Amino acid sequence: MGFTAVPRGRVRGVTVAAVTAMVTVVAAPAWAAPGVDPGTVDRAADPGTAIPISKVVSTPAIPPKPDVVLLVDTTGSMGPAIENVRSNLQQVINSVRTAQPGAEFAVASYRDEEDGPELFQVRQNLTADAIDLQNAVDGLLADGGGDFPEAWVNALFEVSDGAIAYRSGSSRIVVLVGDAPSHDPSAGHTLAQATAALQADHARVLAVDVAGEGGGLDADGQATAVATATGGQVVDSAPDTVTAAILNGLRDLDVTVTPTVTSCDAGLSVSFDAPSRTQQSGTDVPFAETITVAGDAPQGAVLHCTVDFRLNGLPGGPEFVEHITVRVNDVTPPTVVVDDRTVEATGPAGAVIDYPASATDNVDGPLTPTCVPPPGSTFPLGATTVTCTATDAAGNTGSDTAVMRVVDTTAPTTRCVPTNNPSGDNTPGSYNPDGFYELTATDVVDTDVEVYIGDAADPSVTFGPFPAGTKIKLVQAPGAQSRVRDGTGDVDYKVTLRGDAVITGVDDSGNRSTATCLVAPPPK
């Protein structure tokens, strides 16, 4: 507005006394501890399970890496407001840097379309130098202007059309300070064009609506329109509380927190109950985080994920990066292998079986199983169950069983051994002077083999069983009846057969073998 006006009696926004209070507030510890909590998660979990985490993102009172452009109306009515900015600029700079030490500022000014070179000027591009910034603000003079509307629509367009060299990845905030609406279009640029240019630059407008006779920035709703479209806001101020309003407005800007998974090992994933949340800067933003371990995640592995909690789409710094470590539990027992075996008995006690057994774990690799009975044991005749077990480092135990069978399929050794006449002579007239035999049968397992006597001339004839070692006097009488009678002395039995004696040894397993007692023919 082109003339110096006396401020109205009502004050919108904050008072002059609030400046000191605002500086104190922005320096409070809540500003100094932004970040994500917990920032580190280190858990152990089974495959196929989920880990719930309650996540809180404490947002900074000022957006990260701020590039703040002070765009000030320097028409004649703005003298008191400019003086307020001039007097308190260092407080604004220090307060913002308390929250964000990397903050940079720029100073630009605008007037009306008839003000020639003063239509729009960049007084100081973005810098961290507080002295240069103060010099730029000190150079702002209230003058000029004509009708009530000014040309701040054009100024917003110029700011986002290359006049300000924003830093890469910065939070861009244009603080528009004025007391009157804008021509639309102004200097050939419309509010829609200015809004589009701001959006393309990802810049938000904080409109400080200074009370005065010009009706204020938002007299026609223009400030609300551009602030809403860019994610900013409109704050009211009296001419002597502009800096307090700026600080208040910077703190009241909304911040959108977006959890972004930047890296995750295979077998691990992270999800949230909401893709993003928008709240006032400086507040705590809650998220329910779920870390999921895939069912096929490699057991025993250590998996990692990194989540960046971005603020308005920008990295907030290392404090807003979560590091996740999940140690995948080994829940799979070792694989134990022992096979059935069948061996031949080697003695009455059975047989020694030195069977193989192995164990392999998915994490620990080869293991040595423990078996009962152990390999190399003597196993009795019949079936014996062997159980082998192995335990891995995680305490998982695997087992396998096998049946060790000891069998007896070997027939005894049966013999009919001729012996001398125990009386030392032969009976006259005998057809078989050498018919004395010992029936023997030995077996590797059975110590008491049974012996049977059969008649080669009559397969239906079988006598016995007799114990091995039995001594007989065998008489062959082709016309006689086969029979067995008790013997005398060393002769256990007198056996009369029609043909040769067939001796059969049978062990406990039913294995049998035969021998023939050949009788000498009678003399001619």
Side-chain angles (χ1 to χ4, degrees), residues 421 423-430 432-434 436:
N421 186 337
S423 63
D425 57 11
N426 292 320
T427 302
S430 171
N432 184 15
D434 298 316
F436 295 94

Side-chain angles (χ1 to χ4, degrees), residues 210-239:
V210 180
E213 293 185 1
L217 290 174
D218 209 31
D220 298 330
Q222 296 165 313
T224 294
V226 71
T228 301
T230 60
Q233 64 172 327
V234 178
V235 294
D236 295 338
S237 175

Side-chain angles (χ1 to χ4, degrees), residues 147-386:
D147 53 3
F148 279 107
E150 312 299 358
W152 55 259
V153 165
N154 173 71
L156 290 177
F157 180 85
E158 296 288 354
V159 164
S160 292
D161 194 42
I164 299 298
Y166 290 115
R167 293 176 293 171
S168 175
S170 63
S171 297
R172 299 161 185 184
I173 304 169
V174 180
V175 180
L176 174 64
V177 182
D179 63 356
S182 176
H183 292 286
D184 183 17
S186 63
H189 299 116
T190 65
L191 182 61
Q193 290 174 319
T195 301
L198 289 161
Q199 291 173 332
D201 246 355
H202 303 288
R204 291 189 283 176
V205 173
L206 171 59
V208 180
D209 192 358
V210 180
E213 293 185 1
L217 290 174
D218 209 31
D220 298 330
Q222 296 165 313
T224 294
V226 71
T228 301
T230 60
Q233 64 172 327
V234 178
V235 294
D236 295 338
S237 175
D240 56 355
T241 60
V242 171
T243 51
I246 291 173
L247 287 173
N248 188 49
L250 289 173
R251 290 201 61 192
D252 285 344
L253 288 174
D254 284 342
V255 60
T256 298
V257 180
T258 304
T260 305
V261 180
T262 57
S263 66
C264 228
D265 292 338
L268 200 61
S269 61
V270 183
S271 61
F272 295 86
D273 61 331
S276 65
R277 282 198 168 92
T278 300
Q279 291 184 195
Q280 182 182 339
S281 293
T283 60
D284 290 342
V285 182
F287 287 95
E289 179 182 63
T290 302
I291 303 169
T292 302
V293 185
D296 59 353
Q299 296 177 32
V302 180
L303 305 180
H304 302 88
C305 281
T306 302
V307 182
D308 185 2
F309 289 83
R310 297 188 176 178
L311 309 176
N312 296 328
L314 301 174
E319 296 84 3
F320 290 87
V321 177
E322 176 192 19
H323 299 281
I324 298 172
T325 299
V326 174
R327 305 170 196 282
V328 184
N329 293 331
D330 177 9
V331 297
T332 301
T335 300
V336 181
V337 177
V338 57
D339 296 326
D340 298 345
R341 298 196 71 186
T342 299
V343 300
E344 187 71 18
T346 59
V352 173
I353 304 179
D354 192 14
Y355 59 87
S358 63
T360 304
D361 187 64
N362 61 324
V363 174
D364 300 338
L367 300 173
T368 301
T370 299
C371 300
V372 179
S377 299
T378 298
F379 288 82
L381 200 67
T384 301
T385 298
V386 167

Side-chain angles (χ1 to χ4, degrees), residues 136-152:
V137 171
D138 288 347
L140 298 176
L141 299 176
D143 195 14
D147 53 3
F148 279 107
E150 312 299 358
W152 55 259

Side-chain angles (χ1 to χ4, degrees), residues 71-74 109-111 118-119 150-152 155 176-178 217:
L71 180 58
V72 183
D73 178 356
T74 59
S109 64
Y110 68 90
R111 289 186 185 175
E118 295 296 329
L119 172 66
E150 312 299 358
W152 55 259
L176 174 64
V177 182
L217 290 174

